[in-house]
Amino acid sequence: MAAAAAPRPEAASPKWAPTECERAGAAAGLDDCEDAPVRQLCKPRGICSRAYFLVLMVFVHLYLGNVLALLLFVHYSNGDESSDPGPQRRSQGPGPAPTLGPLTRLEGIKVGHERKVQLVADRDHLIRTLSLKPLLFEIPGFLSDEECRLIIHLAQMKGLQRSQILPTEEYEEAMGTMQVSQLDLFRLLDQNHDGRLQLREVLAQTRLGNGRWMTPENIQEMYSAIKADPDGDGVLSLQEFADMDLRDFHKYMRSHKAASSELVRNSHHTWLYQGEGAHHVMRSIRQRVLRLTRLSPEIVELSEPLQVVRYGEGGHYHAHVDSGPVYPETICSHTKLVANESVPFETSCRYMTVLFYLNNVTGGGETVFPVADNRTYDEMSLIQDDVDLRDTRRHCDKGNLRVKPRQGTAVFWYNYLPDGQGWVGDVDDYSLHGGCLVTRGTKWIANNWINVDPSRARQALFQQEMARLAREGGTDAQPEWALDRAYRDARVEL
């Protein structure tokens, strides 16, 4: 097998010019790290409002009825604000978790601003600001052509699996245990409280359906099939909704299998290990990301491995956010080892996304940020006059910002706003993004997600526990992705 080109030597440290903000943060020190209970992170009616978030989370696993039932369950049991969603200390755990310093964050200055940073020896990389909302940057030539080809080859050797996971029949059991009035369901969906359900109100809360992307046409077809909309105007009155049998909805969804073009995400992916003992190029890329982000080695090394994704012709990924908010009903996937295990949901807590383009795409395949640098954000404004800005198969050209795939280029952005105390704040609604339809050829990308728990204390406890496990050799207790054994055990020299 042909040998890969030797990686470029890495620089000892990046040559950043510290900003006034960073100097002030360093001077402050943030000595007091007493962590309050996890708070509600999002603004009302935003893309991660509690009603919207719980609907979206459960739709990945269940169907509409189960989702709405769970929404009401949370809604009516929300009166007890005294419960502490913070981390539960294990009895056999070590002493107090260490204090974590502030998270670093690159300033955007203005759109088009350029600066240089040395991420590898004897070479400067150019960083260009693409938007301020979200805080988004582009780095041409972050990877060499040889590194891009190697990553693709490693992914092919390991094998890729379909990215879209369709829900199972698990919803039937849940529906049998939930008793919810249709009046309450109607009120939850009726966002403008006018007593009528418009298509966009339904679409805003049912974007996943049974694994397929719901469009206005899909909703109207369903209404017609289950005779929910007798006058055919696409709007449901309270009486029409009350007359509808939700079991007919479930039967309809189960009987209509989604084609790949109708899925939320049409791609294949795999994960490549980047930790100790990984291929030297994989280690080199992780170290480069560490220098770029200027985050602590513990945060970067304990984050998810490299995800490699292939989009064939016709592939797409409808607009989404990479990170979810943390409510008392949720925990972060990466810190669940030290979190309260009784909560019903877990979500990805991804402080940053670093996305690499591994090839030049013949047609389409741009990364779209539909609302980048909008003056304001409104969830309902994403769907206007039958145009859904989240739909990357049909309306990518209407998004505010599109990044063309260029081999070796990296783009990175922050999925959370700062909280003013050097840690994670609200989810940034403007980080909504998607993969446009690939019209010709194949698109290869890779994602490095940097995981940070919005609970500063829980992140500190997680890092302490991982350090203890590493010292004691307790690798079996670590999160599944922390070792990615399937790749680590494949000692392939290329």
Side-chain angles (χ1 to χ4, degrees), residues 351-370:
Y351 176 60
M352 294 180 66
T353 297
V354 186
L355 184 153
F356 311 105
Y357 296 111
L358 303 180
N359 72 323
N360 296 309
V361 182
T362 306
E366 300 91 347
T367 303
V368 63
F369 293 80

Side-chain angles (χ1 to χ4, degrees), residues 166-304:
L166 297 179
T168 66
E169 297 181 0
E170 186 181 8
Y171 80 98
E172 293 180 350
E173 179 181 350
M175 281 300 294
T177 62
M178 293 292 180
Q179 299 296 325
V180 183
S181 77
Q182 294 197 199
L183 174 60
D184 290 327
L185 298 183
F186 184 89
R187 287 170 175 168
L188 284 172
L189 287 171
D190 185 17
Q191 295 191 29
N192 62 6
H193 308 294
D194 66 350
R196 293 159 59 84
L197 290 186
Q198 284 80 23
L199 283 175
R200 63 178 185 150
E201 288 178 310
V202 178
L203 284 171
Q205 300 290 351
T206 61
R207 62 175 61 181
L208 294 183
N210 65 336
R212 67 167 144 182
W213 183 259
M214 302 301 288
T215 66
E217 294 82 6
N218 295 148
I219 298 293
Q220 288 178 313
E221 287 174 9
M222 179 187 69
Y223 285 171
S224 176
I226 66 176
K227 299 179 173 55
D229 182 22
D231 53 15
D233 62 354
V235 178
L236 295 186
S237 67
L238 175 58
Q239 186 60 52
E240 288 172 335
F241 189 83
D243 292 340
M244 182 174 65
D245 189 338
L246 290 180
R247 289 174 297 184
D248 292 337
F249 167 80
H250 298 308
K251 291 176 183 177
Y252 175 84
M253 297 300 282
R254 290 185 63 192
S255 65
H256 286 70
K257 302 299 182 183
S260 58
S261 62
E262 298 173 314
L263 296 174
V264 173
R265 182 180 187 181
N266 182 17
S267 64
H268 292 76
H269 75 275
T270 193
W271 302 88
L272 298 182
Y273 176 66
Q274 292 181 281
E276 294 296 335
H279 191 282
H280 60 88
V281 171
M282 304 303 296
R283 288 297 294 160
S284 170
I285 293 170
R286 171 159 280 182
Q287 293 303 310
R288 217 172 301 163
V289 168
L290 176 62
R291 295 185 181 103
L292 170 68
T293 62
R294 297 174 293 156
L295 294 167
S296 72
E298 292 81 8
I299 285 178
V300 175
E301 290 288 359
L302 291 173
S303 291
E304 296 168 72

